[in-house]
Amino acid sequence: MPGTKYAFLSDPYVAGSGKDPGPAHIPAEESLGRVISNDWVNEEYKHLIITASPKALAVKPGQFFNILCPSPDDGELWLRRPQSIYRIDRANKRLEFLYKCVGRGTRGMATFAPGQDCNIVGPLGIGFSLKPDAKNIVVLGRGVGLATMGPISQLAADNGVKVTAILSARSPELVMADELFSKVGEVIRVLDTDGTSAVENVQDILQRLIAQKRADAFYTCGSNRLMFLMKDLGKTHNIPGQVAMEQIMACGIGPCYVCVRTFETNGHKELRRVCIEGPVFDLQECVGW
Ligand SMILES: Cc1cc2nc3c(=O)[nH]c(=O)nc-3n(C[C@H](O)[C@H](O)[C@H](O)COP(=O)(O)OP(=O)(O)OC[C@H]3O[C@@H](n4cnc5c(N)ncnc54)[C@H](O)[C@@H]3O)c2cc1C
Ligand code: FES
C-alpha cells in the first residue's frame, strides 16, 4: 500500500488511485524538545537551546521550525511562529535558535525555562545549497538574518570552503553570533552607529572580495537593501546567490497561502509560497519585499 512506504505524504496523492506518491516532500514531524537554556544575548535577542528528535536533527541550513509559543499573557496564542535553525549540534542531539523578542509569540518564547517542553514542527521548507565547486563564499546578514546564516557558514567550513561573513547591525551590542562566524572564517562587522553599514560601504567591501576572487557564491538574509545589492553584483559578475526570505506565516506547511510572494524568472512574474517553496530562493529570482 503506497501510504505505508513513506511516513509523510504531502505530495499530491489520491486515495485509491494506486499511484505511488514518491518520496516525502516534507520529512517533518511535530516533536517535543526539552529546553536546556533560554538566555538573553543582549537586550533584544534570546538564545534557545533544546533537545531534539533524530528527524528534527536532520534539519539543513536555511530550514526552519514552527514553534508553539507559550502565551505571554492571559490570552490565547493561536499560531505557531517560524524560526530558522541557528545551530545544529548533532553530537549532543540539540538544536539552537536565536530570536528577537518582537511580539506576543516571541515574548511567549522568552518565558521558556530549562526543563520545560518545547513543541516544534519541522524541519520545514527548502534550505541553502552549497555548490561543490565553490571554494570561497560570502554570507551577508542583518538583524535576525544573522541567525539564519550560521548553519550555512558552518557547513561551508566543514567542507573546506572559505567563508567571509559580513555582519550588519544597528550597534556593536547587536552584532550577534560573532563567535560562531569567527570560528568558521573572516568576520567583517558593519554598523549603523559608525555608518559602515551604508549600502555604498558594503558594496565596496563586496567589490574588493570579488576582485580578490573570494566570492564564488553569495548568501544573504535580513535586509532588503543588502539583498538587492548582492543581486546586482551577482548579476554583473555572474556570481550565483541565494536569499532566505522572512515572511509572515500561518500554517508553515503549504495550504493557507498566507506567505505568498512575487518572484521573477526569465521576465515572468509568479507567486510562490515562502514556507514550502522557500524560504531559500535564488537571489536573481527575488523581487524583494
Ligand atoms: C522562515 C522564517 C525564519 C525566521 N527565523 C527567525 C529567526 O531565526 N530569528 C528571529 O528572531 N526571527 C525569525 N523569523 C521571524 C519570526 O518568525 C517573527 O519575528 C515572529 O513570528 C514574530 O512573532 P511575534 O508573535 O513575536 O510577533 P507579532 O506580534 O506577530 O509581530 C511583531 C512584529 O514582527 C513582525 N513579524 C511577524 N511575523 C513575522 C515573520 N514571520 N517575519 C518577519 N516579521 C514578522 C510583524 O510584522 C510585527 O512588526 C523568521 C521568520 C520566518 C518566516
Ligand atoms: S504559511 Fe501557509 S502556505 Fe505558507
Side-chain angles (χ1 to χ4, degrees):
M1 186 187 151
T4 53
K5 194 167 167 190
Y6 303 104
F8 300 93
L9 293 179
S10 56
D11 269 3
Y13 171 66
V14 180
S17 68
K19 198 173 149 238
D20 191 311
H25 181 43
I26 312 181
E29 69 177 6
E30 179 182 12
S31 61
L32 288 181
R34 180 67 45 87
V35 175
I36 303 292
S37 62
N38 186 27
D39 298 326
W40 289 100
V41 292
N42 55 43
E43 58 185 26
E44 294 182 356
Y45 288 84
K46 288 195 95 168
H47 180 194
L48 173 67
I49 305 180
I50 61 169
T51 59
S53 69
K55 200 162 278 181
L57 283 167
V59 59
K60 298 193 186 78
Q63 286 190 302
F64 68 97
F65 288 86
N66 230 355
I67 298 186
L68 190 64
C69 308
S71 171
D73 46 45
D74 292 336
E76 292 284 348
L77 195 68
W78 295 108
L79 297 170
R80 290 171 179 268
R81 300 298 194 266
Q83 295 290 339
S84 317
I85 188 65
Y86 163 58
R87 191 160 170 264
I88 311 158
D89 181 0
R90 294 204 174 90
N92 293 305
K93 300 187 173 62
R94 291 176 181 181
L95 295 178
E96 302 185 21
F97 300 91
L98 192 61
Y99 64 97
K100 184 175 180 179
C101 295
V102 289
R104 286 186 67 229
T106 43
R107 281 206 306 276
M109 281 179 69
T111 67
F112 275 132
Q116 208 174 328
D117 284 337
C118 173
N119 181 312
I120 59 174
V121 169
L124 296 173
I126 297 170
F128 291 111
S129 54
L130 197 59
K131 284 207 169 32
D133 54 347
K135 300 274 178 282
N136 301 275
I137 65 165
V138 182
V139 304
L140 172 60
R142 179 166 170 96
V144 294
L146 291 173
T148 310
M149 305 316 296
I152 181 64
S153 308
Q154 186 70 58
L155 179 73
D158 292 348
N159 282 282
V161 176
K162 294 207 175 75
V163 180
T164 307
I166 306 174
L167 312 183
S168 174
R170 289 204 315 274
S171 59
E173 312 78 59
L174 297 176
V175 182
M176 287 159 310
D178 206 330
E179 198 192 326
L180 182 150
F181 289 108
S182 302
K183 275 192 199 144
V184 299
E186 188 195 342
V187 171
I188 301 171
R189 291 165 208 87
V190 293
L191 305 171
D192 293 358
T193 42
D194 62 10
T196 49
S197 63
V199 172
E200 301 72 37
N201 186 51
V202 179
Q203 181 167 351
D204 289 347
I205 295 169
L206 288 171
Q207 275 170 333
R208 177 170 52 81
L209 293 170
I210 294 167
Q212 293 170 343
K213 303 209 177 315
R214 290 168 62 193
D216 300 333
F218 284 154
Y219 297 87
T220 188
C221 182
S223 160
N224 215 20
R225 290 187 313 152
L226 296 178
M227 189 271 283
F228 279 123
L229 172 64
M230 271 197 151
K231 181 178 171 179
D232 284 349
L233 288 173
K235 189 163 189 189
T236 309
H237 298 275
N238 203 17
I239 297 169
Q242 292 184 319
V243 54
M245 304 201 86
E246 281 174 9
Q247 170 75 341
I248 290 180
M249 292 183 180
C251 72
I253 53 172
C256 79
Y257 283 73
V258 160
C259 63
V260 164
R261 296 198 63 91
T262 306
F263 292 82
E264 193 172 311
T265 317
N266 302 325
H268 295 289
K269 292 233 173 16
E270 59 185 44
L271 299 173
R272 295 185 198 158
R273 288 161 294 173
V274 172
C275 69
I276 195 162
E277 286 151 285
V280 173
F281 294 93
D282 186 303
L283 196 48
Q284 297 304 327
E285 295 181 357
C286 284
V287 294
W289 62 94

